[in-house]
Structures are given as C-alpha cells and as structure tokens.
Amino acid sequence: MSVKQISIFVENKPGTMHDMTQVLADHSIDIRALSLTETEGFGIVRIIVDDVLETTSVLKQEGYVCRLTPVVIAEIPDEPGGLNRVLTIFHDNQINVEYMYATLGGGAKRALMIFRVDDDKRAERELREKHIQLIEQSDIAEL
Amino acid sequence: MERYFQKEIECAPREEIIRIQNEKLVKQVKHVWDDVPYYRRKMEEKGVTPEDIRSIEDLHKLPFLSKADLRESYPYGLLGCPLKECVRIHSTSGTTGRRVVAFYTQKDLDLWTDCTARAIVAAGGTDEDVCQVSYGYGLFTGGAGLDGGSHKVGCLTVPTSSGNTQRQIMFIQDLQTTILCCTPSYAAYLAETMEEMGLAPEDIPLKAGIFGAEAWSEEMRRDIEQKMGIKAYDIYGLTELSGPGVAFECSAQNGMHINEDHFIAEVIDPDTGEPLPDGEQGELVFTSLDKRAFPLLRYRTRDICVLSREKCSCGRTHVKMMKPRGRTDDMLIIRGVNVFPSQIETVLLNHGYPANYQIIVDRVNNSDTLDVHVEMTPEMFTDNIADITKRQKELVDGMKAMLGIKAVVTLVAPKSITRSEGKAVRVIDKRKI
C-alpha cells in the first residue's frame, strides 16, 4: 500500500510557506516530511503527515488547493550505495521516478526516501521482492 | 427547410419593417411623453416634442437613456403605465450597482415570448421537441423568457432551472430532451460532465442548444457542439428591454437577427453619441417599440457591436448584430489595442478555468504590460509542475490569439483576488497617464 502525499499549491512570494505551516501548527499537525518545488510564479509543497484526512480538510477549509498523490516510501540504509540499490531495482524494472526527496526518521542509521513513480503498485512489488523495507500509511504516526 | 415562428414578419420586406417601425415609434414616443415624466423632462431639456418625431429618421433627435438613468429612477421612475396594468417584474443581478427592475404588462410578456419562440423555431424547434430550460427561473429573465417561448412553440417544456447537474443530465437522458436552453458556460460544463460520464455525442438526444446571457467565443461553440453533437445558437437580450430574445441566431449561425418589429437598433460612437453607419463598430442602442410598462427609448446598452444588413441565407430580413465585442465601460487600451475583460474571460472559460481573474495593467519603460492573475482551482491543480505550466502556456497562447497582444499569466492562490461587495475587482490599471 502506497502512502498518500498531500500536494499543496502555493504562490511564490514571501510569507506563503509561513502562512501554510501556521495553519498546520494551529491544528497541531506534525509534518513528517516536506519538499518544496518552485517555478517562477508558484510552487508545490509536498508533505507527508499522519492524518491525511484531517490535514486536507483543514487546508481546504483555509482555502488551499491540495491534492493527494500516492508515493512509495522506502527505508534506505544510511551507508554508501544505499540509495543506489533501490534505484537499481527501479532501473532494472523500467520504473520511472518523477521526483524524490528524503527525510530522516525510523531511527539511527537509516533514511527514508520518498518516491513518486509512474507505477507505484509495481514499484512496491519489486522493492518488496528485493526485501526493501517499505513504510505504510499506518506507520507514519510512529516515525 | 428553414422554419419560422412568425414568417410574415420575420421575412417581411425592408420597406414593410420600416413602415412598422415608423408607425410604432411615433405612437411609443407619444406614450412615453404622456406617461413617463422622467423621460419627458429629458426631451424637454433637449427641446424635443413628440411632434418632432415623424419617422425613424428623427430617432437621433431623442435623448439617450443610460443605466445611470435606470438606477436614478429606481424603482418606479420609468414606469409607463399604472401598476394595476403590470403583471410581472424581472430584475438584473445588480452586480454592477443598484438593481434594475423592469415591469411587464400581460401584452409585454406575450410579445417577449413571441421573440423567444422565434429563437426556438430558428434553432429547429417544433411541437415535437422536448425543450429543457436550464436558465435560472426567478428574477432573472432567462428562465421565464425561454419557458414562455417553449410553450408557444408547443415543445414539451422541462423547467429544470439552473444547477443540479446530475438531475439535468438525468432528465436529458430519461425524457430525451432535444433542445437545451442555458448559459454557454453551463452548457460547456454539462458537455464536459457528460463526456466524463462516458456519453458519446450520439448517446445524447440533444440536437440544439440556445445559449446566451454571457459572452462566449466561436471556440467554445465548436467545443460544445462537438461534445454534445448539437448545433449551438446564440441569443441576446437585456432585462431592461424584455430579456433574452431581443436578437437570436438562425441556421446561418453568423450573427443574431434583431426583432426589428419590436426594437430599433442603432450603433453610435460611444464618445460623441453620433449614430454610425451599418457595418461600423460602436455602442449598441435600442428603442423598444412595443413595451408599455417599461418603454425605453434610445437605451445605451454599452455593448460594443457591429450591425449587418447583408442578406441572410435563412430568409429573415431583420438586421443582424454580430456577437458583442465587449462593453464600453470596461474597454482597456493596451499597447494601442482595444482589450475587453470579457475576451480574457472567454479564454479562461474556454480553457476550463472559472472566470475568477484580475487584470493588472501597468507601464514599464514606456510600454504597457498586461498581467492576468488567475485563481488556481482544485480541478486545475495537479501534483505535476509540467502539467500546470503547460496549461499556463495554453492560456498565454489563447490570450495572444484572442487579444493580439501578449499577456503574462500568473496563477494565484484560491480566493486571493480581492472582492468588494462579493464581486471581484476585475481590472487594476496602475498606469499613470
């Protein structure tokens, strides 16, 4: 089961990230991972949270446009070649990575890598087969 | 075979139309002089009396009425008969200021719905048709106008009013609706929804649509026609004059025939007020010849438009008005080009965006800049930057094609466009000229 990432539309101007995180802080929502991609005029903030439903309803209520996107979160041993091992599996199976970002969590000596791929079902199957530890939606609260 | 609701008058020879207009104008001016003190004062100020108006050649001698006059005389100042003769009012949305309330006698309603019946028949309607009226019913003239016309034609009338898209589609399918009447943006939305439901044009029983009450482009027409498998006809009107049906499109789908037996149309220079010859672009002015309860003479619509007297293939002889280009009061001149916010709105609607936008005009290094802010919507937002920028580029290209000048499109946060009294401020002109 993939994890649901929340993608949020923000304008590229001072204060927008502050305002958005303020909304989350006001509702005691813990951000487990975050990435920001920007263009000249706007950006997309991508976050991983524990309670997706509550977070999206809070954001919508505050007037944000957001969308859920399935992502695959894999545990990567924090050692040289760790990430490469996972990417090799994608490469061998012709799975395309659209974007990825990392977050800490899950204890010492490992990182979590968040992947947006063109086929998350297949990606998960292949990773599991190669004994890569995957994070489920239900694991997010524990991170 | 072209069909007509009132063939004799719709295809009357030019001289006959002029004869009717002359006769009715003289009577109408007398009626207004006698019964509408507000307009009588305007005539007196100009030194005109009913005796000066002997034919439509004298029309230019009469003073204009503007939206400001209507507001000033709200609610009863322009009433042309005792209230006991009136049976109905309709009202504008009041989005640009105070509401305008228009009154109708039973005969006014009857003549108005003759006009909408002409439009329905011109779109191919007969008593065999099922006509779904998805314009709003109520104060708005759309619902009542087409409803009345549909009854006159003898269609099975389905008065769904606007909204509740699922129910609209259910009725279209279950009752085999053949004619749809609504605003073009709602038609586009219905077409899109039906497409998403997997309905192919041949699965949709509709054959014609009568769409009006807002600006729409040829691209939008083609798109709706294709998705629904119909012919889409434009209809024009103003609450001040009666409602939809002042003018309507025929099978030629190239301009709308103005019902000249009920209205005289003029095109004037909006700055000088001088009448312009046919074929020249200017502000559209209407004189209503038959309205008793709300008889407006030389009412300035603020719609910028061209009239055409070229012979029409449909056989109708009434003058045609081309689709209004925009409105006099919101025209912008940017880099020497006339730009109407309605054109930008059309591009947005055609690309699936709601009409939530703000136009910011500025002057940088002696050159005008045009920046269009468009609010992001849940429908248009995806997680994919490339998709969003591609759509943004399509908007820029669409505006270039529509306006002839380049615009910058900035996507902004939802509800970030300033609204005053519930309506967005559409244009911010920062130029200091």
Side-chain angles (χ1 to χ4, degrees):
Chain A
M1 270 294 286
S2 56
V3 171
K4 287 193 172 63
Q5 165 194 269
I6 304 174
S7 308
I8 308 153
F9 176 84
V10 288
E11 290 180 44
N12 187 356
K13 67 179 191 195
T16 53
M17 282 302 283
H18 166 267
D19 297 345
M20 198 274 290
T21 51
Q22 185 73 53
V23 170
L24 300 182
D26 290 347
H27 291 83
S28 308
I29 292 164
D30 200 356
I31 304 170
R32 314 318 301 235
L34 181 145
S35 108
L36 169 64
T37 313
E38 92 290 356
T39 70
E40 204 180 312
F42 68 93
I44 297 179
V45 182
R46 300 175 171 122
I47 57 171
I48 303 289
V49 295
D50 170 21
D51 193 336
V52 174
L53 196 66
E54 199 215 336
T55 309
T56 49
S57 68
V58 161
L59 286 169
K60 279 179 192 161
Q61 209 178 317
E62 294 295 325
Y64 286 90
V65 167
C66 51
R67 182 167 280 239
L68 297 182
T69 315
V71 290
V72 175
I73 306 185
E75 271 190 32
I76 309 272
D78 188 9
E79 60 188 32
L83 174 61
N84 183 255
R85 223 184 111 216
V86 172
L87 290 174
T88 303
I89 299 169
F90 288 160
H91 175 254
D92 291 348
N93 290 284
Q94 291 292 298
I95 292 166
N96 187 45
V97 177
E98 281 166 25
Y99 56 80
M100 55 194 230
Y101 54 104
T103 187
L104 292 173
K109 295 311 261 176
R110 49 169 218 180
L112 297 177
M113 221 42 221
I114 299 152
F115 296 98
R116 166 76 172 139
V117 292
D118 54 357
D119 185 345
D120 49 284
K121 298 275 174 296
R122 200 155 59 85
E124 282 179 324
R125 204 169 54 237
E126 296 299 338
L127 291 176
R128 260 203 201 94
E129 238 168 60
K130 302 288 184 321
H131 308 291
I132 302 287
Q133 192 65 41
L134 299 181
I135 302 291
E136 307 280 335
Q137 190 71 46
S138 54
D139 300 330
I140 304 288
E142 312 303 322
L143 295 180
Chain B
M1 237 275 288
E2 189 79 28
R3 278 182 230 266
Y4 313 92
F5 181 66
Q6 290 165 320
K7 183 172 185 197
E8 203 175 315
I9 186 64
E10 289 180 67
C11 302
R14 192 79 226 136
E15 314 79 66
E16 174 64 7
I17 295 171
I18 290 172
R19 191 192 61 74
I20 292 171
Q21 288 191 334
N22 286 341
E23 195 184 301
K24 285 186 176 179
L25 178 66
V26 170
K27 265 169 76 179
Q28 185 75 323
V29 170
K30 176 109 182 30
H31 164 48
V32 170
W33 175 269
D34 290 343
D35 300 320
V36 185
Y38 185 94
Y39 196 80
R40 181 181 180 143
R41 265 198 307 280
K42 279 190 146 263
M43 284 176 69
E44 283 168 346
E45 276 164 25
K46 248 194 136 194
V48 191
T49 63
E51 288 69 46
D52 298 320
I53 312 299
R54 290 159 187 279
S55 75
I56 57 171
E57 299 295 319
D58 300 320
L59 189 62
H60 68 275
K61 295 176 185 164
L62 290 168
F64 290 115
L65 274 174
S66 68
K67 193 111 175 170
D69 289 308
L70 267 60
R71 285 188 192 134
E72 205 179 304
S73 48
Y74 172 91
Y76 297 127
L78 288 164
L79 191 64
C81 64
L83 275 177
K84 61 178 268 200
E85 281 185 51
C86 300
V87 297
R88 174 95 62 82
I89 70 139
H90 280 287
S91 173
T92 59
S93 62
T95 45
T96 54
R98 210 143 97 183
R99 276 181 184 277
V100 169
V101 171
F103 299 84
Y104 303 74
T105 64
Q106 187 56 51
K107 191 176 172 212
D108 291 337
L109 289 176
D110 195 34
L111 295 180
W112 170 28
T113 49
D114 276 351
C115 293
T116 51
R118 288 178 193 176
I120 292 170
V121 174
T126 70
D127 56 6
E128 309 267 340
D129 280 294
V130 177
C131 179
Q132 188 159 323
V133 182
S134 311
Y135 280 111
Y137 280 63
L139 288 171
F140 177 50
T141 50
L146 272 304
D147 184 283
S150 173
H151 280 86
K152 280 201 166 155
V153 176
C155 303
L156 173 63
T157 309
V158 187
T160 45
S161 193
S162 52
N164 199 338
T165 303
Q166 293 308 317
R167 192 178 63 191
Q168 299 278 2
I169 296 170
M170 185 199 82
F171 275 127
I172 290 173
Q173 289 185 293
D174 294 355
L175 301 177
Q176 294 286 296
T177 302
T178 48
I179 299 174
L180 175 69
C181 309
C182 62
T183 58
S185 56
Y186 194 56
Y189 181 70
L190 278 171
E192 208 169 289
T193 310
M194 290 198 269
E195 191 182 42
E196 277 164 16
M197 289 167 68
L199 290 174
E202 52 274 19
D203 302 330
I204 301 170
L206 294 172
K207 63 175 195 191
I210 300 173
F211 307 135
E214 63 189 19
W216 54 312
S217 65
E218 277 307 312
E219 289 98 307
M220 200 165 167
R221 188 210 300 262
R222 277 193 295 275
D223 187 50
I224 297 171
E225 287 190 330
Q226 223 162 37
K227 283 193 177 129
M228 290 188 174
I230 62 169
K231 277 194 98 178
Y233 299 89
D234 204 353
I235 186 165
Y236 175 89
L238 295 95
T239 306
E240 293 89 324
L241 295 171
S242 57
V246 170
F248 61 91
E249 240 175 12
C250 60
S251 56
Q253 288 182 304
N254 171 32
M256 293 173 274
H257 290 284
I258 294 169
N259 285 308
E260 285 190 286
D261 51 330
H262 300 306
F263 305 100
I264 302 176
E266 299 171 87
V267 164
I268 62 159
D269 180 325
D271 297 323
T272 64
E274 287 303 313
L276 296 171
D278 289 339
E280 273 192 42
Q281 177 171 297
E283 182 180 350
L284 197 53
V285 173
F286 281 107
T287 294
S288 107
L289 291 171
D290 289 300
K291 279 291 288 283
R292 176 160 168 80
F294 206 62
L296 301 191
L297 303 182
R298 300 199 88 198
Y299 179 62
R300 295 182 63 153
T301 63
R302 300 183 295 176
D303 283 327
I304 296 288
C305 177
V306 176
L307 295 181
S308 161
R309 291 208 181 271
E310 264 173 52
K311 194 170 184 302
C312 186
S313 60
C314 77
R316 288 179 185 79
T317 48
H318 295 217
V319 69
K320 284 205 284 197
M321 58 179 277
M322 298 300 130
K323 214 176 251 304
R325 286 281 318 275
R327 315 207 67 168
T328 51
D329 44 356
D330 51 22
M331 187 180 86
L332 293 159
I333 301 175
I334 301 170
R335 277 171 248 152
V337 176
N338 295 352
V339 173
F340 295 100
S342 59
Q343 294 174 298
I344 288 169
E345 197 165 319
T346 301
V347 175
L348 291 175
L349 290 170
N350 286 352
H351 286 80
Y353 287 86
N356 266 341
Y357 63 94
Q358 191 161 56
I359 299 163
I360 293 145
V361 189
D362 205 347
R363 183 160 286 187
V364 180
N365 298 328
N366 292 318
S367 175
D368 295 338
T369 60
L370 170 61
D371 191 353
V372 182
H373 285 190
V374 182
E375 284 186 0
M376 183 48 100
T377 67
E379 293 75 34
M380 303 312 282
F381 180 59
T382 80
D383 178 52
N384 189 323
I385 294 248
D387 279 352
I388 299 176
T389 45
K390 189 176 142 240
R391 286 185 192 163
Q392 200 174 3
K393 169 92 174 34
E394 285 167 0
L395 275 184
V396 171
D397 293 345
M399 289 191 195
K400 175 91 208 255
M402 175 72 90
L403 309 172
I405 57 169
K406 196 170 166 356
V408 174
V409 171
T410 307
L411 297 170
V412 298
K415 303 196 174 61
S416 62
I417 289 173
T418 334
R419 287 162 169 81
S420 67
E421 291 163 13
K423 193 164 165 84
V425 177
R426 290 287 172 233
V427 180
I428 296 177
D429 197 337
K430 296 179 172 171
R431 292 176 293 187
K432 293 181 181 63
I433 304 171

